[in-house]
Amino acid sequence: MEQGSAREGARPAYAPGAFPRTPAEGWIPEGRVPEQARGEQARGEHTHSEPPAPRVVQRHSVRGQILDALRAALVDGELVPGQVYSAPALGARFGVSATPVREAMQRLAVEGAVEVVPNRGFRVSERGPRELAELAEVRALIEVPVMLSLARTVPAHRWSVLRPLAEATVTAAAVGDRAAYAESDRAFHRAVLTLSGNEQLVAVADELHRRSQWPLVSNPATRRADLLADASEHTALLDALIAQDLNVVQALVREHFTGAEG
């Protein structure tokens, strides 16, 4: 359960796809930064001969926009596990200074998505199957009993209100937009768990969910078929919750966490 809708036409600089994967596509390798960022680059780095034209980001809540863009790039695999990225180089692609990029990256470091590399930038964390399995186990320990409890007590009409959220994950999966799917997936799970009335549980579960969406180093791109299978479990889960079929609820949630994206 994790990704969303293909975008038509030109994309803003901070949308998924703003991180070219090869030098031919305009990717700025680590250690090579535009001239305007030279003052902030790490010692010994070379400059790119043709820096990309500045791209403007709305000035309000710049850090928040950059953080969202970096998270989307992580999910999409545009920020490659094991690769080091400098704040000045990424800032040049967004048309902003290195400061909001560095602040956003520091937040991602707290979340475990990247690690600080002194005097160079930030390395995208490399995850293996074991970490993903551990996250799935912890999520199941939290969410399965909560959903079983909700299935016994929440009336059918309240579950029906969540139907558009479940359908949004299917729409996102159908076009293979992993970043949008990740957002719609978390929105659905948050809405379900919010019915428990436990805000701390919702916050903890959402953070675990986000961590489970980062791609494995060995499999950075999730296939559209896997996303569709994952998304279909949302609508099936709603049907089971409405019917108060506890066995199906438990089976679907556990399968959901151990599937392609969790």
Side-chain angles (χ1 to χ4, degrees), residues 59 61-64 66-67 70 87 91 94-106:
R59 298 311 302 176
S61 189
V62 172
R63 194 192 91 162
I66 298 299
L67 180 59
L70 291 172
F94 292 129
V96 300
S97 72
T99 300
V101 176
R102 190 174 290 112
E103 291 173 347
M105 281 293 204
Q106 291 287 356

Side-chain angles (χ1 to χ4, degrees), residues 41-230:
Q41 71 188 45
R43 194 165 157 183
E45 291 179 342
H46 302 291
T47 58
H48 197 287
S49 58
E50 295 183 1
R55 302 180 184 183
V56 179
V57 173
Q58 295 283 335
R59 298 311 302 176
H60 80 284
S61 189
V62 172
R63 194 192 91 162
Q65 292 183 59
I66 298 299
L67 180 59
D68 288 344
L70 291 172
R71 282 172 169 164
L74 281 167
V75 171
D76 272 340
E78 293 170 357
L79 290 178
V80 182
Q83 185 71 256
V84 177
Y85 298 88
S86 70
L90 292 176
R93 294 212 58 79
F94 292 129
V96 300
S97 72
T99 300
V101 176
R102 190 174 290 112
E103 291 173 347
M105 281 293 204
Q106 291 287 356
R107 174 59 190 169
L108 290 174
V110 171
E111 296 176 359
V114 301
E115 54 190 80
V116 178
V117 181
N119 300 319
R120 291 188 63 197
F122 302 85
R123 178 182 289 111
V124 178
S125 299
E126 299 180 79
R127 302 186 316 134
R130 177 173 178 175
E131 182 179 346
L132 192 63
E134 290 174 348
L135 284 167
E137 180 180 1
V138 176
R139 290 184 64 201
L141 289 171
I142 293 174
E143 296 196 34
V144 169
V146 173
M147 290 193 186
L148 289 175
S149 176
L150 292 173
R152 297 185 185 97
T153 58
V154 175
H157 73 273
R158 296 194 66 186
W159 291 122
S160 298
V161 173
L162 304 187
R163 185 73 64 181
L165 294 177
E167 292 172 348
T169 68
V170 176
T171 300
V175 292
D177 187 334
R178 295 186 297 276
Y181 180 80
E183 289 297 325
S184 60
D185 182 27
R186 288 203 316 279
F188 174 77
H189 280 263
R190 280 197 305 270
V192 171
L193 296 177
T194 295
L195 294 175
S196 71
N198 188 327
E199 294 180 3
Q200 298 305 311
L201 180 148
V202 174
V204 169
D206 191 57
E207 179 63 21
L208 290 169
H209 195 165
R210 185 188 298 281
R211 292 171 70 94
S212 74
Q213 293 174 327
W214 303 330
L216 296 173
V217 65
S218 59
N219 182 28
T222 304
R223 296 179 306 168
R224 184 179 303 184
D226 292 330
L227 291 182
L228 283 169
D230 209 33

